[in-house]
Amino acid sequence: MTFRTTRRGLLKSGIAAGATAASAGAALANTPDPLITELQDWASGTGDGVDATPYGLPIEYESDVIRRNVEWLTADTISSINFTPIHALDGTITPQGCAFERHHSGAIELRKDDYRLMINGLVDQPLVFSYADLERFPRENHVYFCECAANTGMEWAGAQLNGAQFTHGMIHNMEYSGVPLRTLLEEAGLDTAGDLAGKWVYVEGADASSNGRSIPMEKALDDCLVAFKANGEALRKEHGYPVRLVVPGWEGNMWVKWLRRIEVMDGPVESREETSKYTDTLADGTSRKWTWVMDAKSVITSPSPQSPITHGTGPVVISGLAWSGHGKITRVDVSRDGGMTWETARLGKQGDSKALTRFYLDTEWNGEDWLLQSRAIDETGYVQPTKAQLREVRGENSIYHNNCIQTWHLKANGEAENVEVS
Amino acid sequence: MSKFLNILGPAVGGAAGVLGLAYVAADQFVADIPSVAPRMVTFATAATEAEETDTTAAEATPATPQTETVAANTSGFGLGRPALAEEIAAWDLDVSPDGTGLPEGRGDVFTGEEVFAENCAICHGDFAEGVDNWPVLAGGFDTLADKDPVKTVGSYWPYLSTVWDYVNRSMPFGAAQTLEPDDVYAIVAYILYSNDLVDDDFELSHENFAEFEMPNAGGFVVDDRPETEYVNWRSEPCMTDCKQSVEITMRATVLDVTPDEEGSGEASSMSHDSGTQMAAATPAATEVPAAEEPTAEEPAEDAPAVQVAAAAAIDRELVKSGEKVFKKCKACHQIGEGAQNKTGPQLNDVFGRTIGGIDGFKYSKGFKAAADEGRVWDEAAMYEFLSKPKSFIKGTKMSFSGLKKDSDLEAITAFLKANGG
């Protein structure tokens, strides 16, 4: 074993790792493992009965797999964001209970009975739907990622936050059940709108922020979903219960929660969230607007700063997530030397369009330093850029849409650190 | 329907498309006829569910069998009901750059200064300069190309309509949609003045609104990534010898701004042994403590025995509804374990406390005067203050307009008491 620890934190986990090492090296063990040879309580007594937890939560040993926020980012948690613990998850579906939250005026409590959805503006018949009405339309199921435009936004000027949760955790991926927005627009009738090519749909929420956004009609009629279930159950309060808008592949701010009104319009409203915020300032001081699509991006979730290697040298699974707002992920490459050489990773399963794709590189680690990177390629042939490439075009003040290649420095002791490389 | 098919016809498929076509085939409906009658069944149902919906229309039209409803509806399903004009007026508040959507009204800079001081200054500062991490609204001109651009209404926002719309619908924080149109005009006029964009005798109204062009109106380009980025980044990537060498140029741990999951003051984020798991949850639990259920059975640990007995007598239901009322206060006040001063002072043990008596909190003059007089928070004072804050303490910075219902006042009092008050 070349595995060594130097830091206090790792020493602590090293205790656990020591036990693992003993059992992992079973061929060398000359004392029997008491977990096997001695009768354990759980093998003799009984466990909880059914209904011990009518709605189950993760077992206590997983209590560190939680959303976390970065307090200095915002003035108050009511208008703030927290981060999905992506470093501790596998597969692609994000459980609702640890999927990141972003509120502009807090998560409100809105009963289904009190829910109303209005469609007005340039429609043949302005309509009001109850929640029950929505469940009577033909509905669809789709898995989509929802990524905040500001994900990785704190990393523009340099490596700043030490953990995949904090650098890339403004994302979640769920299976939504809902009614296509086009079905509802069609129900209200679009003849009045005339030529739909230049028309817009303005959507807003029932909370105090309203968080209104303008969406071009083409997108509204394409794949937007008025969703009321996620991962099979009702949306959580913090994700817009009872109804939110799903805008596949586009920035999370447009996925209006507590959706209450849809207005067909001649032009964009140019609301606060699409002018003063969610616009990307370039080096020369001009700003891009309407940068809706989330470009292809990936990150290695393990090993990563919050998910170090504790099992010593030998076989290791490098694992991560990739996604693109332009469609399917077709390939992910991994580099262990900071981008000098690349090898193609294995996809957990073939990528779904505008959804998270899990990738793995099953390899060996001999305790050497690695500069780990991943690079996503989507079905349009777009290759995830380096931070240098992004800065060359945009400078460092864009805040939003930072989809750069991330680097983790894996050290001999198994720890990983967020670094920037030349 | 026909427009929809023209544009996206080939994309229509699946159950929705098939069903839609089936209904269209049975369509006898003429588009110009108001669709109240065919929607009748649904409307009647919806109306009985709604507390505030005008049911006159429902009663006026006899219900028709549902099968007919569906068949007669050109749009497809006959679900939902027509939106009433009053309902649209209540919700359709957005204002477009050309001023469409603005209500009639006016407000000048002087009025704006007062209204702003009352409603906005507590977070945004008397001169719109921003308090703590709250947004700065003024200044920042010619900084957009700097290393740290100062993006304010004056330096960044491209349309005045956005300011009006946002103030009208979403401000003040915690009391949205309580301002009258004239107040909104006045506040917007004052924000322009604080940005040196108008003189102090300026009055903003629905009449002169559209004339105003913001300084950064021309500072935006529509997403040009397809031309500036995609064309260059859609190519086969390098696999070997992509660089001669690699060096680490920056490390996140040097900055040490990552939230500490262990609460140990060390930047380490190793949390794999069970000993750190519970600690890990603590610094991340950022919900206002008041969100946790305050029950009479669980008084603060250090509460004297007398208070425990008193707390036990408090009606739990009342405390619970008080907790709901407290949502109106949460934007500025914390209460419960670990409560700290935020925009407003923390509210633990408020009853019996000297009015304006929290050390280190920046009170308004009115509160300082009350403290000097030695006035103390009791039930009567709290009732009076919370029903009309600005008449109880002249010049209070608290922008809350007051609780109107006695039941709310009673509930919030119970809730405050349950938290050691």
Side-chain angles (χ1 to χ4, degrees):
Chain A
M1 291 279 289
T2 57
F3 186 66
R4 279 189 317 219
T5 60
T6 49
R7 302 188 58 180
R8 202 187 69 179
L10 204 63
L11 278 170
K12 272 197 255 171
S13 59
I15 298 164
T20 314
S23 50
L28 302 174
N30 47 21
T31 54
D33 185 345
L35 283 168
I36 297 171
T37 57
E38 291 174 12
L39 179 63
Q40 303 297 320
D41 288 349
W42 60 80
S44 181
T46 57
D48 289 342
V50 297
D51 281 352
T53 48
Y55 191 98
L57 288 170
I59 195 165
E60 58 183 311
Y61 313 126
E62 297 294 319
S63 61
D64 62 326
V65 184
I66 52 170
R67 300 183 278 228
R68 293 183 174 88
N69 87 348
V70 176
E71 278 191 54
W72 52 263
L73 273 181
T74 51
D76 196 291
T77 55
I78 292 171
S79 178
S80 190
I81 191 155
N82 61 15
F83 302 82
T84 308
I86 54 171
H87 63 287
L89 303 177
D90 210 326
T92 58
I93 296 293
T94 315
Q96 291 199 70
C98 66
F100 84 97
E101 310 167 78
R102 199 307 184 220
H103 316 309
H104 291 75
S105 54
I108 59 167
E109 283 175 20
L110 180 54
R111 282 173 225 273
K112 283 179 185 168
D113 285 351
D114 296 340
Y115 179 79
R116 301 287 183 274
L117 175 62
M118 180 185 290
I119 299 189
N120 73 312
L122 303 172
V123 291
D124 304 341
Q125 173 62 65
L127 293 175
V128 172
F129 300 110
S130 66
Y131 179 83
D133 290 335
L134 294 182
E135 284 197 337
R136 297 171 69 191
F137 285 100
R139 54 184 180 263
E140 299 180 1
N141 296 313
H142 297 278
V143 177
Y144 294 121
F145 75 81
C146 172
E147 183 185 19
C148 176
N151 201 17
T152 322
M154 289 83 79
E155 304 291 306
W156 273 109
Q160 182 157 245
L161 289 164
N162 204 31
Q165 178 170 24
F166 302 109
T167 57
H168 290 77
M170 296 180 190
I171 192 165
H172 56 61
N173 192 62
M174 302 189 197
E175 184 201 49
Y176 294 97
S177 308
V179 180
L181 177 55
R182 66 163 189 253
T183 305
L184 300 182
L185 289 169
E186 213 185 325
E187 184 74 10
L190 291 172
D191 287 344
T192 305
D195 181 8
L196 295 181
K199 295 298 181 294
W200 294 70
V201 164
Y202 177 72
V203 288
E204 68 180 26
D207 63 321
S209 81
S210 86
N211 193 67
R213 289 293 304 249
S214 309
I215 298 174
M217 182 60 83
E218 190 184 2
K219 178 70 173 178
L221 294 177
D222 180 13
D223 56 2
C224 292
L225 204 61
V226 175
F228 34 82
K229 294 282 167 71
N231 299 344
E233 61 180 357
L235 291 166
R236 294 286 165 89
K237 172 173 82 171
E238 61 267 36
H239 300 130
Y241 178 92
V243 177
R244 90 174 303 171
L245 187 66
V246 169
V247 189
W250 288 20
E251 61 191 19
N253 181 257
M254 307 177 87
W255 296 44
V256 171
K257 300 190 287 189
W258 313 290
L259 180 69
R260 84 165 190 187
R261 197 170 68 90
I262 299 163
E263 182 179 358
V264 176
M265 301 185 74
D266 273 327
V269 166
E270 303 283 8
S271 72
R272 175 190 188 254
E273 307 299 330
E274 54 202 15
T275 54
S276 77
K277 305 287 174 189
Y278 303 96
T279 46
D280 319 339
T281 301
L282 305 172
D284 67 359
T286 61
S287 303
R288 287 175 176 165
K289 67 174 186 176
W290 304 350
T291 46
W292 302 305
V293 183
M294 302 307 296
D295 290 331
K297 186 167 172 178
S298 69
V299 65
I300 290 171
T301 51
S302 180
S304 68
Q306 296 161 288
S307 180
I309 295 180
T310 55
H311 55 56
T313 57
V316 62
V317 176
I318 297 171
S319 172
L321 292 167
W323 60 95
S324 169
H326 290 282
K328 293 177 183 176
I329 289 294
T330 51
R331 185 177 122 196
V332 180
D333 297 332
V334 169
S335 173
R336 288 180 271 190
D337 56 16
M340 289 192 286
T341 55
W342 295 85
E343 54 201 307
T344 297
R346 174 172 66 85
L347 302 186
K349 70 179 176 72
Q350 201 194 338
D352 290 328
S353 186
K354 302 168 189 175
L356 292 188
T357 296
R358 174 66 60 177
F359 65 87
Y360 299 106
L361 185 70
D362 312 294
T363 187
E364 293 268 329
W365 179 57
N366 297 310
E368 69 271 32
D369 279 23
W370 278 351
L371 291 171
L372 281 172
Q373 298 183 334
S374 63
R375 156 177 96 183
I377 301 167
D378 71 19
E379 63 178 306
T380 72
Y382 176 96
V383 182
Q384 183 183 359
T386 62
K387 203 185 279 187
Q389 284 177 298
L390 285 173
R391 283 175 179 159
E392 199 179 321
V393 181
R394 305 188 201 167
E396 293 182 4
N397 284 331
S398 283
I399 303 174
Y400 307 104
H401 294 280
N402 183 351
N403 65 322
C404 70
I405 290 172
Q406 171 66 42
T407 311
W408 306 127
H409 176 204
L410 180 74
K411 301 163 199 177
N413 62 8
E415 278 186 60
E417 183 186 3
N418 176 13
V419 298
E420 214 170 283
V421 296
S422 58
Chain B
M1 189 69 183
S2 57
K3 292 279 186 333
F4 169 76
L5 288 174
N6 285 343
I7 285 192
L8 286 166
V12 176
V18 174
L19 282 171
L21 289 174
Y23 293 136
V24 169
D27 176 25
Q28 299 296 315
F29 188 68
V30 182
D32 293 340
I33 297 175
S35 48
V36 172
R39 293 179 191 282
M40 197 45 246
V41 169
T42 325
F43 182 37
T45 313
T48 52
E49 285 172 6
E51 296 99 350
E52 293 168 8
T53 306
D54 182 357
T55 55
T56 337
E59 286 152 9
T61 321
T64 48
Q66 190 161 8
T67 46
E68 281 183 35
T69 303
V70 174
N73 191 331
T74 187
S75 302
F77 302 95
L79 293 168
R81 61 163 175 87
L84 302 180
E86 303 92 303
E87 294 171 330
I88 295 173
W91 275 8
D92 186 353
L93 302 173
D94 57 76
V95 180
S96 292
D98 65 2
T100 306
L102 276 175
E104 289 188 6
R106 57 190 65 246
D108 60 29
V109 170
F110 280 118
T111 315
E113 186 174 11
E114 276 175 37
V115 184
F116 190 90
E118 260 184 46
N119 294 285
C120 322
I122 194 157
C123 295
H124 296 294
D126 283 334
F127 307 101
E129 77 278 14
V131 175
D132 299 334
N133 246 353
W134 298 103
V136 186
L137 304 180
F141 293 95
D142 302 321
T143 65
L144 298 181
D146 293 356
K147 190 167 161 41
D148 294 304
V150 181
K151 296 180 178 180
T152 72
V153 170
S155 72
Y156 195 64
W157 292 39
Y159 304 106
L160 190 61
S161 58
T162 312
V163 191
W164 204 99
D165 189 30
Y166 188 69
V167 172
N168 184 49
R169 281 195 297 172
S170 300
M171 289 288 119
F173 194 60
Q177 301 191 48
T178 57
L179 297 169
E180 295 301 319
D182 283 353
D183 290 339
V184 179
Y185 279 107
I187 287 172
V188 175
Y190 179 70
I191 294 173
L192 291 176
Y193 173 71
S194 67
N195 276 287
D196 291 327
L197 296 173
V198 295
D199 292 327
D200 60 6
D201 59 356
F202 177 75
E203 183 187 70
L204 183 68
S205 73
H206 60 281
E207 291 150 354
N208 67 1
F209 195 94
E211 295 162 19
F212 203 91
E213 185 168 335
M214 298 294 277
N216 197 38
F220 291 80
V221 292
V222 172
D223 187 3
D224 60 357
R225 285 177 294 175
E227 301 82 50
T228 56
E229 298 179 6
Y230 299 165
V231 287
N232 300 319
W233 299 342
R234 280 179 179 149
S235 58
E236 192 55 32
C238 170
M239 295 301 282
T240 53
D241 301 323
C242 304
K243 305 183 215 177
Q244 292 304 306
S245 66
V246 170
E247 278 172 36
I248 293 174
T249 54
M250 191 166 180
R251 294 178 173 278
T253 52
V254 174
L255 268 176
D256 196 20
V257 290
T258 309
D260 185 359
E261 288 167 38
E262 289 190 321
S264 67
E266 191 183 359
S268 166
S269 49
M270 311 293 171
S271 53
H272 286 249
D273 67 275
S274 58
T276 64
Q277 284 172 3
M278 295 319 290
T282 310
T286 52
E287 288 282 24
V288 179
E292 284 166 28
E293 190 117 329
T295 61
E297 285 75 19
E298 294 168 24
E301 281 173 9
D302 56 353
V306 180
Q307 287 192 9
V308 173
I314 294 172
D315 182 341
R316 284 190 61 186
E317 285 306 307
L318 199 58
V319 170
K320 247 187 150 171
S321 43
E323 188 186 356
K324 291 223 157 144
V325 179
F326 191 74
K327 283 183 180 172
K328 294 177 193 285
C329 322
K330 267 170 75 171
C332 301
H333 292 284
Q334 290 195 351
I335 193 165
E337 197 182 327
Q340 292 178 349
N341 296 335
K342 302 288 280 187
T343 307
Q346 61 88 1
L347 297 176
N348 287 341
D349 305 313
V350 68
F351 288 105
R353 179 200 288 179
T354 305
I355 294 179
I358 294 263
D359 277 346
F361 184 78
K362 278 194 188 166
Y363 285 102
S364 61
K365 278 181 191 163
F367 265 103
K368 280 183 190 154
D372 290 343
E373 290 165 27
R375 292 164 70 187
V376 169
W377 284 117
D378 57 17
E379 262 190 53
M382 190 61 77
Y383 256 73
E384 205 182 328
F385 178 58
L386 290 182
S387 50
K388 280 192 173 175
K390 286 180 177 58
S391 32
F392 183 72
I393 298 279
K394 291 270 182 295
T396 178
K397 286 190 280 185
M398 188 167 91
S399 61
F400 185 59
S401 58
L403 293 169
K404 286 170 188 66
K405 291 185 201 157
D406 279 345
S407 56
D408 283 353
L409 285 161
E410 208 179 312
I412 192 93
T413 305
F415 174 70
L416 291 171
K417 282 194 166 178
N419 282 274

